[in-house]
Amino acid sequence: MTIESEDLAAPRKTGAALVDDLAEQIRNRIMTGEIPIGAQLRQAELASNFGVSRTPVREALRQLQTSGLIEVLPNKGAVVSVPAPWDVREAYEVRAELEALAAARAVRRITRDQIEQLRTANQEMYDHSMAQGASTVPAQHDHRRSNDLFHTLIASISGNARLSKAINDINETFPRNVSAQLVVNDARHRDENFHEHERILQALAEGDVAQAADQMRQHVIKAGEQLARWYELRSSTVFRG
Amino acid sequence: MTIESEDLAAPRKTGAALVDDLAEQIRNRIMTGEIPIGAQLRQAELASNFGVSRTPVREALRQLQTSGLIEVLPNKGAVVSVPAPWDVREAYEVRAELEALAAARAVRRITRDQIEQLRTANQEMYDHSMAQGASTVPAQHDHRRSNDLFHTLIASISGNARLSKAINDINETFPRNVSAQLVVNDARHRDENFHEHERILQALAEGDVAQAADQMRQHVIKAGEQLARWYELRSSTVFRG
DNA sequence: CCTCCCCTCATTGGATCCAATCTTAGGGTC
DNA sequence: GACCCTAAGATTGGATCCAATGAGGGGAGG
């Protein structure tokens, strides 16, 4: 309808939440690895990329800065944060505690239907990692989505929006192309992940609060450990100027 | 109506982290209640107030927006968030879990000196609330600082920077003039607060992980409950256009 | 050949400009 | 008097402008 000149990704011209929109899109590009870790974020480049001026881009970058995804060096511009392994471990210890709380709260609130939804999500995740070509990019994407769904579902069932947000905030600090590959790449990890989810599910179904929290905590800690190790070995995904 | 006094508060013209500085100062004004809950934040007013143009102010507001302290309504400007009581309860349940984790971790790392520091902070807090004129503004300020010190000390002893930050982020969502008054205003609350701190301290000293976590969790939940109740009754501290 | 310095260009950062939207006051109508 | 419509003022939001800082490159001196 309206003539969109240079914007490849649709930057909703609602005239309203444009800045939030930009932030979201830049965040996505980082999370998917399209913009690699350590890369410089040039205001002018992003601006022309989205077909806007630098002003809203700068505001979007400020948002990403406070959410911790990028770092802004005065007079030198923004770079995508490169999480140190110990930072990952610290963050995931926090996330583990939060998700454990979510699981514990979920026990009292979960319905049979929701248990089924979780089972489905977990099964889908497993299937995606078993299907042929599980190492292709779209398959990894599907796998990640199912895995995310499992966790976000439990968070939302917990009935505490703030808790969901806190968990999400931590997640969005670490680009996903990295974290997703962990599980898919390795058959053992993929299997373990599935079974850990099953154990959590069982605890939820049985109404065992302590067990649900414990299993979730261990599960997240383990995932964090894998992610941290990945960051230790990484080099291919880091942008080197 | 607006008396434009230029930069009353020193806006470090380091030319560098000016935006972060502005955000910090605006945050302070909100936290102290100088800018009340629900108040409109006019870009032009803030700009002339700090002696800068609107551009850095806008970026600072974006930071405060993502940290949740203010809300930005498209084309209508920024407003200091008015936390709903249930939001306070949710946030404090999260905070309770985080501080419980911090206390648990602190048990293994705390030194005798640090235990003494905590004891001192707690005693100071008590003294400030006992001194004559405890209801004066500066006394409340001192009381709050001692109380904060107690909590931030434990968080820092936990040795997990991310955890400290997560706790701090939650704290900075709810203006303090409000939360501080809770304890000081009521002799019973003041006493309970002191004794709860003592119990936490004892658990830390005895090396009782479970007890430290439990006591801290209960303590924070209780504080959250008081804060939530305050928000339910509030009306004096809310700005009404 | 290496090092240091200076010049130039790229980029950021604050200020300013102008369009778009919202708010509000005034006047007209029922 | 209540309601709506319109027009002017206020405010936000994106674009543009220019100063300031930083990075890179070439030349002079060692």
Side-chain angles (χ1 to χ4, degrees), chain B residues 105-159:
Chain B
R105 286 181 52 109
V107 167
R108 301 185 158 232
R109 300 159 198 264
I110 201 167
T111 66
R112 271 181 221 293
D113 278 0
Q114 289 169 328
I115 290 180
E116 269 321 301
Q117 285 179 43
L118 286 173
R119 213 180 293 279
T120 303
N122 194 33
Q123 190 60 49
E124 275 182 11
M125 186 188 72
Y126 188 76
D127 293 345
H128 282 135
S129 65
M130 286 292 286
Q132 54 175 357
S135 57
T136 64
V137 171
Q140 285 189 7
H141 185 262
D142 285 343
H143 180 277
R144 174 175 70 68
R145 276 221 320 191
S146 301
N147 184 59
D148 280 4
L149 183 58
F150 184 87
H151 285 271
T152 56
L153 259 179
I154 292 178
S156 95
I157 293 169
S158 81

Side-chain angles (χ1 to χ4, degrees), chain A residues 30-220:
Chain A
I30 294 174
M31 292 302 285
T32 62
E34 185 178 342
I35 301 177
I37 296 197
Q40 278 269 343
L41 295 169
R42 298 284 168 212
Q43 298 174 0
E45 185 179 344
L46 291 170
S48 76
N49 233 318
F50 290 110
V52 297
S53 82
R54 281 172 48 215
T55 311
V57 170
R58 280 164 63 175
E59 294 183 21
L61 290 180
R62 288 300 182 183
Q63 293 186 329
L64 297 179
Q65 177 194 14
T66 65
S67 73
L69 190 58
I70 71 175
E71 281 166 26
V72 176
L73 313 175
N75 289 322
K76 294 182 69 178
V79 291
V80 181
S81 304
V82 290
W86 57 265
D87 193 9
V88 177
R89 291 196 174 87
E90 287 192 347
Y92 266 69
E93 186 166 350
V94 173
R95 184 184 155 193
E97 205 61 28
L98 295 178
E99 293 226 35
L101 173 61
R105 285 181 52 108
V107 167
R108 303 186 155 229
R109 300 157 200 266
I110 200 165
T111 66
R112 273 181 220 293
D113 278 2
Q114 289 170 327
I115 290 180
E116 270 320 300
Q117 285 179 45
L118 286 173
R119 214 180 293 279
T120 303
N122 194 32
Q123 190 60 49
E124 275 182 11
M125 186 189 73
Y126 187 75
D127 293 345
H128 282 135
S129 65
M130 286 293 285
Q132 56 175 354
S135 57
T136 64
V137 171
Q140 286 189 7
H141 185 260
D142 285 343
H143 181 276
R144 174 175 69 70
R145 275 221 320 192
S146 300
N147 184 58
D148 280 3
L149 183 59
F150 184 87
H151 285 271
T152 55
L153 259 179
I154 293 178
S156 94
I157 293 169
S158 82
N160 184 329
R162 188 83 185 208
L163 179 54
S164 293
K165 187 177 182 307
I167 294 170
N168 195 257
D169 284 349
I170 292 180
N171 264 336
E172 291 189 336
T173 305
F174 305 104
R176 284 304 181 71
N177 69 317
V178 182
S179 64
Q181 290 172 354
L182 300 176
V183 190
V184 177
N185 284 342
D186 185 331
R188 185 168 58 82
H189 287 159
R190 175 249 294 157
D191 245 45
E192 283 180 8
N193 196 48
F194 173 73
H195 285 113
E196 284 165 18
H197 280 194
E198 270 201 329
R199 279 199 286 278
I200 294 166
L201 208 35
Q202 186 180 359
L204 286 174
E206 291 176 354
D208 189 335
V209 174
Q211 188 69 4
D214 271 3
Q215 291 296 334
M216 180 62 95
R217 190 181 353 250
Q218 288 177 31
H219 169 57
V220 174

Side-chain angles (χ1 to χ4, degrees), chain B:
Chain B
M1 185 69 187
T2 46
I3 304 170
E4 312 297 356
S5 38
E6 302 202 351
D7 51 320
L8 298 171
R12 220 181 280 161
K13 36 196 64 177
T14 55
L18 188 144
V19 171
D20 303 81
D21 235 46
L22 285 177
E24 180 64 26
Q25 297 201 36
I26 298 173
R27 191 200 324 278
N28 280 341
R29 292 194 182 186
I30 295 174
M31 293 302 285
T32 61
E34 185 178 343
I35 301 176
I37 294 187
Q40 277 270 343
L41 295 169
R42 299 283 167 214
Q43 298 174 359
E45 186 178 342
L46 291 170
S48 76
N49 234 318
F50 290 111
V52 296
S53 83
R54 281 172 50 216
T55 310
V57 170
R58 281 164 62 176
E59 295 183 20
L61 291 180
R62 289 299 181 184
Q63 293 187 328
L64 298 179
Q65 176 194 14
T66 65
S67 74
L69 190 58
I70 71 176
E71 282 165 26
V72 176
L73 312 176
N75 290 320
K76 294 181 67 177
V79 182
V80 181
S81 303
V82 289
W86 56 265
D87 194 8
V88 177
R89 291 196 176 86
E90 287 193 346
Y92 267 68
E93 187 167 349
V94 174
R95 184 185 154 191
E97 205 61 29
L98 295 178
E99 293 226 33
L101 173 60
R105 286 181 52 109
V107 167
R108 301 185 158 232
R109 300 159 198 264
I110 201 167
T111 66
R112 271 181 221 293
D113 278 0
Q114 289 169 328
I115 290 180
E116 269 321 301
Q117 285 179 43
L118 286 173
R119 213 180 293 279
T120 303
N122 194 33
Q123 190 60 49
E124 275 182 11
M125 186 188 72
Y126 188 76
D127 293 345
H128 282 135
S129 65
M130 286 292 286
Q132 54 175 357
S135 57
T136 64
V137 171
Q140 285 189 7
H141 185 262
D142 285 343
H143 180 277
R144 174 175 70 68
R145 276 221 320 191
S146 301
N147 184 59
D148 280 4
L149 183 58
F150 184 87
H151 285 271
T152 56
L153 259 179
I154 292 178
S156 95
I157 293 169
S158 81
N160 184 328
R162 188 84 184 207
L163 179 54
S164 293
K165 186 176 182 308
I167 294 170
N168 196 257
D169 284 350
I170 293 180
N171 263 337
E172 290 187 337
T173 305
F174 305 104
R176 284 304 182 71
N177 67 317
V178 181
S179 63
Q181 290 171 354
L182 299 176
V183 191
V184 177
N185 283 342
D186 185 331
R188 186 169 57 83
H189 286 160
R190 175 250 293 156
D191 245 46
E192 282 180 9
N193 196 49
F194 173 73
H195 285 112
E196 285 165 18
H197 280 194
E198 270 201 328
R199 279 198 287 278
I200 294 166
L201 208 35
Q202 186 180 357
L204 286 173
E206 291 175 354
D208 189 335
V209 174
Q211 188 69 3
D214 271 3
Q215 290 296 335
M216 179 61 95
R217 188 179 358 249
Q218 289 177 31
H219 170 55
V220 174
I221 289 285
K222 185 183 259 182
E225 187 53 38
Q226 292 174 25
L227 182 58
R229 237 178 273 149
W230 173 274
Y231 271 108
E232 282 169 354
L233 301 180
R234 96 198 125 74
S235 57
S236 57
T237 52
V238 181
F239 181 86
R240 305 181 178 286

